Amino acid sequence: MPWGLAASGVRCWALALRAVEQQHPLVPTGGMVGLAPRRRVPCPAPRGTGGRAQHAAAEAGRVEDPQPGHGLRQLDAGPLQGLPHGVGQALPQAARGWWQCTVCSLVSRERQGMERAWGWKRRLSCSRAVVGLGVREEPVVGVAVPGVPVLCPPTCPRRGASGGLLPGLVLALQRGASAGCWSARCQPNLGPCVSRPPAGFVVGQAGLYQALAMFVVAYFIIGMTVLSVCAISTNGALDAGGAYYMISRALGPEFGGSMGIMFFLANVCGSALYVLGLVEAIVDIYGIPPGQSAGTGSQVLPRSYWYELLYGTFVLLLCLVVCLVGASIYAKATFLIFIVVMGVLGTVLVSFFAVGPTVVRLLRPHGNTSVSLNGSFTGFRLATLRGNLAAGYSVDYTTERTMSFSTVFAVMFNGCTGIMAGANMSGDLKRPSYSIPRGTITAVLFTYVVYNLLAFLLCCTCDRNLLQNDYGFLRDINVWPPFVSIGVYCSTLSAAMSNLIGASRVLYALAKDDLFGRALAPAKKTSRSGNPWVAVVMSWALVQLVLFSGKLNTIAAIVTISFLLVYATVDLACLALEWASAPNFRPTFRYFTWHTCVLGILGCGIMMFLISPIYASGSMAFMLVLLLALHYLSPSSSWGYISQALIFHQVRKYLLMLDVRKEHVKFWRPQMLLMVQNPRSCVQLIRFVNDLKKSGLYVLGHVELQELDSLPSDPLQAQTESWLRLVDKLNVKAFVNLTLADSVRHGAQQLLFISGLGGMRPNTVVLGFYDSAEPQDGLAQYLPFSGSREEAQLSFPPVREASGPRPLSPQEYVAIVADAVKMLRNVLLARAFEQLEQPRSAAPCIDVWPVNLLRPDSARYADTCSLFLLQMACVLHMARAWRRATLRLFLCVETGARTRGQEDKLRQLLKELRIQAAIHLVPWDSVVALHWQKQQEPWAAAPDAAVNFPACVSEEYLHAANRLILEQSSAPTIRFLYLPRPPADTALYPAYLHQLDLLTRDLGPTVLVHGVSAVTSTEL
């Protein structure tokens, strides 16, 4: 069968060999394994491929012991020694003249290569397998037998600094070296193209067709995010922080702070990831093999966990020094590294054309044994291209897992991230709005072209076996293999520095914004040149802590998912700005729509769970915890909240859809306007009306008695902040509406006319009761304000004294009630609510008196006002704080009347209205007698007595009615009473108010209710 011999960087030539299998038992020869003497044959390999001294020694037949206990003998012909009984291989003719160790039976073309072979044997357990002889076109797997030493094939595809190497062992070592670099797949520059190309891995597993499709999908997802980044970065001046600055200024401090912490941690872990990958790549090539006290040739670095940690510390210190000097030296260093990486990439591309066909020997573990494979670099061949077009998923030799479309796509996508590397330096760029879009788009397009070009070149030149079983094959086919190692080291070092300086800038931006208080205060310090050196040192310390983990694969998954979560949030920020339709959102980059933002969010979300569902769920949970913590603990900011713009946009849209002509009584809800003179004396009433609104509109109205003509500016602007702070502290869901007027009545009319918007307008007015009681400062007694600086910040005047002047007269007060009724507003008058306590007892009571006590001769339980009174009591009972209360309905009856029928009718009404209340019958013969006695007086029979205010009601009757109410329950939580309509004659306003005062005196918290419209429904 033809053998393919290859040397690194030279053309391939072929030697015709014939392998005839023979079986020979082990022949003991003086205590060591040996062969019968045969004639010596010179090594057939050209002298240019090995050292002249080695060839001369081979031809002279000199045998020396390079290591105590090990002897060398030159092979001649016949079966190889060191094989168990029944297993043997004939010596190929071209291998005659090679050297074999008399103890471990390792074989090499050159004596000096044996020194490395002894070290590799112990490291790779290569004495457990036989490497079979294979053909370049059709690789043949060798026989795997425990206890059998390794025979290296008579090829030398790679040469190192110390002469000839054993190819099978070298490629096995290269597999370990590339695995270390493979853990850093998410490098944001061209490092993936050089160290362990995703293109080669993807093409080897998925084929060219699916590989190109994967690149299109991956870069489509990345491209959508890039468009969002470009749009936000061109919509105003950018400061330090990169993605954090964009998110925080767009979505507010909650999203910005939580994503800033995650972005900072992602950069910290990313820096540690690249440092560990660089250290592992260096140690795998220059480290002493495990289990040996000394290495050979360039293997001079001690190898252990602590030594690797020490190497990583030195690399991280180098990054720290560069970042401490400043962004200018970092930019120069990264530019130099970029030039080097581009040069390496150029040599990689040139190698596809300059290097001839090459056979690469691969040694792969298989259980407790090892197998040998041949991978071929065929050059440009149509047969190779056809063999790589279709998918051929197999077991990944680094993870021992069977690959699929999703797993290959997830691995490939890691090499496409890193688009925020330039945006992280936004604070150090002279023109970030100009540089970020152009630099990011150019980098994405360039890497996309490079990946596709590499995929096509690999498909045309490398067979499937090489692509699937050696991720470091670019070293094998490069014109000078150290070029690839230099590119790996430079690109990984650049990525580590990029993440370190990016983490420091994000930390500095977080500290400047004071979202975490004193915890990040030291990170604000900068040098004279503006370099945040404290943030750099803090980031370096955290990276050093991450280095102790040493788990590359875990760190890589966390880093990638964290970056994807940040990208999705950037898309969300751009989407929110676009949907808010704010006039000031005018980015100069216009090649985006809300569709691209949505696609970016969906793409990043899918990729997160495709890479690792566990880490993705954990990252989102951590982000949610940070968001909630910042929402409740962080101070308010002046950046502007995109949520407010979105809410305004949606509310405006839905208010236009809220048509008052489509209102129906089935969906009626109370919409309250509470008139407040001084909030200090109305704290309990404000909170009570908040329970009474039942998810309806709630407006706090206040009238300031001043004339705008005599004032230099509007005084209400300064008061609005105090009212809003009051609403926040009381935790009520209310709007504030303030107005200027020459009288309280005119101000109340203004508020009744203009309060609300569209279909959301107040339908119920709430007023405090007009009496002679001394106001109490409930604000000072309220816990959130008592003894705190919050109360001092409120600009409310102190409560008036009992003997002080009042801004409102009794006549004007009743006129306001009459105006509300004329405007078809329901009216509630609240009295003695300074005595109200929130229901804490086991069974608080809500007492309802649905009869008009001022007109007992026309008492009915089913008129509009009575039904509205029942509805309001039921609404209060439905509130969370009042659900345990007992709703009691009092039915006033006379002796001899059909009480049973009245009770049944009322109970049926309650059943139809779905109101659960206990009905109590109250005899009131004595009270009604006082009313009829007054009616029999000659002057009381006025012609309009039936329709106007009943001025004939005596005080004796009102006192009796008041006592009747008190006798039923001495101390209920609250009472609802019927409020009659104010008299038409304004001269009777004082008498009307006096009667209400007598009726409700000493009753405790009482609500007088007057309804003007139907609010109950028995229909489905």
Side-chain angles (χ1 to χ4, degrees):
M1 293 181 291
W3 273 91
L5 278 82
S8 178
V10 297
R11 296 188 61 183
C12 175
W13 68 92
L15 291 175
L17 300 175
R18 176 173 297 175
V20 181
E21 295 186 355
Q22 297 180 357
Q23 295 185 357
H24 285 268
L26 289 173
V27 181
T29 309
M32 65 177 63
V33 178
L35 268 179
R38 304 279 184 175
R39 62 183 182 89
R40 288 190 298 235
V41 180
C43 176
R47 294 179 181 271
T49 61
R52 291 181 179 272
Q54 290 84 348
H55 286 279
E59 293 176 358
R62 294 193 298 269
V63 178
E64 299 178 0
D65 289 340
Q67 210 170 4
H70 288 253
L72 295 178
R73 68 182 180 84
Q74 198 169 30
L75 300 180
D76 188 0
L80 300 175
Q81 301 301 307
L83 302 182
H85 180 71
V87 180
Q89 286 186 336
L91 179 69
Q93 184 174 357
R96 293 174 181 175
W98 284 38
W99 297 87
Q100 183 180 31
C101 177
T102 57
V103 176
C104 59
S105 302
L106 289 173
V107 181
S108 177
R109 185 181 58 190
E110 299 169 348
R111 288 179 56 247
Q112 291 185 0
M114 298 300 294
E115 295 180 2
R116 302 179 70 87
W118 285 316
W120 293 331
K121 171 182 176 294
R122 286 193 295 271
R123 177 182 177 187
L124 297 175
S125 300
C126 52
S127 62
R128 297 184 178 182
V130 168
V131 179
L133 304 179
V135 187
R136 181 181 63 190
E137 298 295 334
E138 296 179 359
V140 178
V141 179
V143 182
V145 180
V148 179
V150 173
L151 168 64
C152 295
T155 58
C156 190
R158 187 195 328 249
R159 298 184 57 83
S162 59
L165 305 179
L166 296 174
L169 301 177
V170 171
L171 293 180
L173 289 176
Q174 290 303 322
R175 180 192 66 82
S178 64
C181 301
W182 189 266
S183 301
R185 276 188 286 262
C186 54
Q187 186 163 324
N189 48 31
L190 295 176
C193 303
V194 177
S195 57
R196 63 290 158 276
F201 169 76
V202 174
V203 169
Q205 296 288 344
L208 181 62
Y209 291 151
Q210 293 190 18
L212 295 180
M214 288 182 183
F215 288 137
V216 170
V217 174
Y219 274 87
F220 177 79
I221 296 174
I222 294 299
M224 297 301 100
T225 304
V226 168
L227 296 181
S228 300
V229 172
C230 295
I232 297 178
S233 62
T234 58
N235 189 50
L238 283 179
D239 204 346
Y244 158 72
Y245 191 85
M246 299 178 187
I247 295 172
S248 61
R249 268 49 180 184
L251 299 181
E254 294 90 353
F255 267 100
S258 58
M259 296 311 303
I261 289 294
M262 295 203 66
F263 197 37
F264 166 71
L265 295 178
N267 279 279
V268 166
C269 293
S271 182
L273 170 70
Y274 295 128
V275 170
L276 289 174
L278 176 59
V279 169
E280 187 170 333
I282 295 174
V283 170
D284 281 343
I285 296 178
Y286 301 106
I288 299 174
Q292 297 186 13
S293 59
T296 59
S298 60
Q299 294 177 327
V300 296
L301 296 178
R303 183 166 188 166
S304 68
Y305 167 78
W306 294 107
Y307 273 112
E308 292 181 5
L309 180 62
L310 180 63
Y311 304 150
T313 302
F314 284 144
V315 173
L316 188 58
L317 281 175
L318 175 62
C319 299
L320 175 65
V321 171
V322 174
C323 294
L324 282 178
V325 173
S328 58
I329 188 66
Y330 164 77
K332 295 177 181 178
T334 53
F335 181 74
L336 179 62
I337 291 174
F338 173 74
I339 296 298
V340 173
V341 174
M342 289 299 298
V344 173
L345 183 60
T347 64
V348 170
L349 297 178
V350 169
S351 299
F352 285 106
F353 301 91
V355 176
T358 306
V359 174
V360 180
R361 300 297 174 185
L362 311 173
L363 183 66
R364 294 288 168 259
H366 183 71
N368 294 328
T369 63
S370 299
V371 296
S372 175
L373 301 173
N374 288 342
S376 299
F377 176 78
T378 65
F380 289 92
R381 288 191 177 183
L382 184 60
T384 305
L385 176 61
R386 290 175 177 174
N388 290 325
L389 290 179
Y393 296 106
S394 63
V395 176
D396 178 26
Y397 71 90
T398 61
T399 61
E400 302 296 334
R401 296 179 181 178
T402 302
M403 295 290 100
S404 63
F405 183 90
S406 60
T407 55
V408 172
F409 184 68
V411 170
M412 183 273 302
F413 191 83
N414 287 336
C416 303
T417 56
I419 59 176
M420 289 295 180
N424 288 343
M425 301 298 296
S426 57
D428 300 298
L429 299 174
K430 292 183 179 180
R431 299 171 61 190
S433 298
Y434 176 85
S435 303
I436 290 176
R438 287 163 177 78
T440 305
I441 293 177
T442 303
V444 170
L445 293 177
F446 182 75
T447 55
Y448 176 73
V449 172
V450 169
Y451 278 146
N452 282 271
L453 180 60
L454 277 176
F456 180 76
L457 293 177
L458 293 173
C459 245
C460 294
T461 58
C462 301
D463 69 350
R464 183 66 61 87
N465 208 36
L466 179 62
L467 295 175
Q468 289 184 346
N469 293 280
D470 185 9
Y471 300 149
F473 64 89
L474 286 183
R475 294 189 184 97
D476 305 325
I477 65 175
N478 198 271
V479 292
W480 190 51
F483 266 141
V484 177
S485 298
I486 293 173
V488 171
Y489 301 154
C490 290
S491 61
T492 312
L493 181 63
S494 172
M497 288 191 299
S498 174
N499 280 268
L500 179 60
I501 199 169
S504 65
R505 271 28 180 197
V506 174
L507 183 62
Y508 173 65
L510 285 168
K512 281 178 56 180
D513 291 336
D514 287 326
L515 294 181
F516 296 89
R518 298 180 181 178
L520 300 180
K524 298 180 183 179
K525 296 182 181 179
T526 60
S527 61
R528 293 182 179 179
S529 60
N531 185 30
W533 64 272
V534 177
V536 173
V537 173
M538 294 174 67
S539 302
W540 164 81
L542 287 178
V543 175
Q544 184 65 51
L545 290 177
V546 178
L547 288 181
F548 281 95
S549 67
K551 297 181 179 180
L552 288 173
N553 293 331
T554 301
I555 298 176
I558 295 175
V559 169
T560 304
I561 289 175
S562 299
F563 276 119
L564 285 174
L565 191 58
V566 173
Y567 300 161
T569 311
V570 171
D571 288 319
L572 178 63
C574 187
L575 176 66
L577 291 171
E578 178 69 11
W579 276 355
S581 301
N584 285 323
F585 183 60
R586 298 188 298 269
T588 57
F589 183 87
R590 297 299 304 169
Y591 301 102
F592 76 99
T593 64
W594 68 268
H595 304 86
T596 61
C597 301
V598 172
L599 291 174
I601 295 172
L602 294 177
C604 292
I606 293 173
M607 282 309 308
M608 285 170 51
F609 286 93
L610 192 64
I611 293 173
S612 176
I614 297 177
Y615 290 152
S617 301
S619 299
M620 295 184 69
F622 179 61
M623 182 201 71
L624 185 61
V625 170
L626 288 175
L627 191 147
L628 293 176
L630 288 171
H631 177 73
Y632 290 105
L633 301 179
S634 67
S636 59
S637 66
S638 58
W639 308 334
Y641 294 82
I642 190 62
S643 59
Q644 297 299 307
L646 290 173
I647 291 171
F648 177 87
H649 183 73
Q650 295 300 314
V651 167
R652 180 194 62 84
K653 181 171 66 175
Y654 286 112
L655 275 177
L656 292 174
M657 298 172 61
L658 188 60
D659 193 347
V660 295
R661 296 168 296 183
K662 298 180 181 179
E663 289 182 355
H664 195 278
V665 67
K666 292 190 299 184
F667 309 110
W668 178 92
R669 66 184 68 238
Q671 303 191 71
M672 320 295 286
L673 170 63
L674 173 61
M675 300 297 299
V676 180
Q677 178 189 355
N678 191 338
R680 293 185 178 275
S681 59
C682 303
V683 173
Q684 295 295 344
L685 181 57
I686 294 174
R687 298 180 62 195
F688 171 76
V689 177
N690 185 67
D691 293 334
L692 200 60
K693 70 180 188 307
K694 186 54 181 177
S695 302
L697 178 66
Y698 184 17
V699 179
L700 296 179
H702 173 71
V703 179
E704 190 73 16
L705 296 179
Q706 296 188 56
E707 290 285 349
L708 189 58
D709 294 339
S710 60
L711 298 175
S713 62
D714 183 8
L716 300 179
Q717 298 295 329
Q719 297 183 23
T720 303
E721 182 65 26
S722 297
W723 283 85
L724 294 177
R725 189 177 294 113
L726 173 73
V727 169
D728 293 337
K729 282 297 180 180
L730 294 180
N731 194 25
V732 296
K733 300 176 182 179
F735 298 95
V736 175
N737 205 343
L738 311 180
T739 186
L740 282 176
D742 56 350
S743 67
V744 177
R745 182 183 181 185
H746 290 166
Q749 290 176 352
Q750 295 175 17
L751 293 176
L752 287 171
F753 278 123
I754 66 175
S755 292
L757 189 64
M760 294 186 64
R761 291 184 177 276
N763 55 27
T764 303
V765 180
V766 184
L767 302 172
F769 195 78
Y770 193 97
D771 56 15
S772 59
E774 182 178 359
Q776 299 179 7
D777 192 350
L779 193 62
Q781 302 173 4
Y782 189 59
L783 186 60
F785 292 98
S786 58
S788 66
R789 293 179 298 176
E790 296 289 341
E791 184 185 359
Q793 296 176 357
L794 301 178
S795 60
F796 303 130
V799 296
R800 65 174 179 84
E801 299 180 356
S803 58
R806 308 182 69 170
L808 189 65
S809 66
Q811 187 88 6
E812 192 175 9
Y813 176 80
V814 179
I816 294 174
V817 176
D819 292 340
V821 173
K822 292 177 182 178
M823 296 180 186
L824 299 180
R825 302 295 198 276
N826 307 300
V827 179
L828 305 182
L829 303 182
R831 184 174 188 178
F833 267 80
E834 66 277 0
Q835 304 175 17
L836 178 66
E837 297 182 0
Q838 291 299 319
R840 300 176 182 175
S841 59
C845 295
I846 302 176
D847 289 355
V848 180
W849 296 78
V851 65
N852 185 359
L853 296 178
L854 296 184
R855 293 287 301 271
D857 53 338
S858 61
R860 291 183 299 172
Y861 295 94
D863 63 353
T864 300
C865 189
S866 297
L867 293 177
F868 181 76
L869 190 150
L870 286 174
Q871 181 81 326
M872 296 309 299
C874 180
V875 167
L876 180 65
H877 189 252
M878 295 170 65
R880 178 178 302 178
W882 297 86
R883 288 176 181 173
R884 296 182 302 167
T886 301
L887 185 59
R888 302 189 301 180
L889 187 62
F890 292 92
L891 178 61
C892 298
V893 296
E894 298 182 32
T895 304
R898 300 175 56 184
T899 58
R900 185 65 180 178
Q902 295 180 10
E903 183 180 359
D904 292 341
K905 290 181 180 180
L906 184 57
R907 196 177 303 277
Q908 181 63 27
L909 176 63
L910 295 178
K911 183 178 180 181
E912 293 176 356
L913 296 177
R914 289 89 61 200
I915 298 176
Q916 298 180 358
I919 300 177
H920 295 264
L921 300 180
V922 180
W924 68 331
D925 299 86
S926 57
V927 176
V928 174
L930 294 175
H931 172 72
W932 289 116
Q933 181 180 358
K934 186 68 174 178
Q935 286 288 337
Q936 293 175 359
E937 296 182 5
W939 60 272
D944 56 351
V947 293
N948 290 335
F949 169 68
C952 58
V953 177
S954 64
E955 292 188 4
E956 184 179 7
Y957 166 76
L958 294 174
H959 285 298
N962 179 267
R963 287 194 300 269
L964 178 67
I965 298 173
L966 286 173
E967 290 173 356
Q968 304 307 314
S969 180
S970 58
T973 306
I974 192 171
R975 292 184 174 91
F976 284 86
L977 302 182
Y978 190 109
L979 176 65
R981 183 186 180 96
D985 188 358
T986 57
L988 298 177
Y989 283 176
Y992 172 80
L993 184 59
H994 180 65
Q995 291 181 4
L996 296 178
D997 175 57
L998 294 179
L999 180 64
T1000 59
R1001 184 172 297 175
D1002 300 328
L1003 292 183
T1006 304
V1007 181
L1008 293 165
V1009 181
H1010 181 83
V1012 296
S1013 59
V1015 295
T1016 58
S1017 174
T1018 59
E1019 299 178 1
L1020 182 61

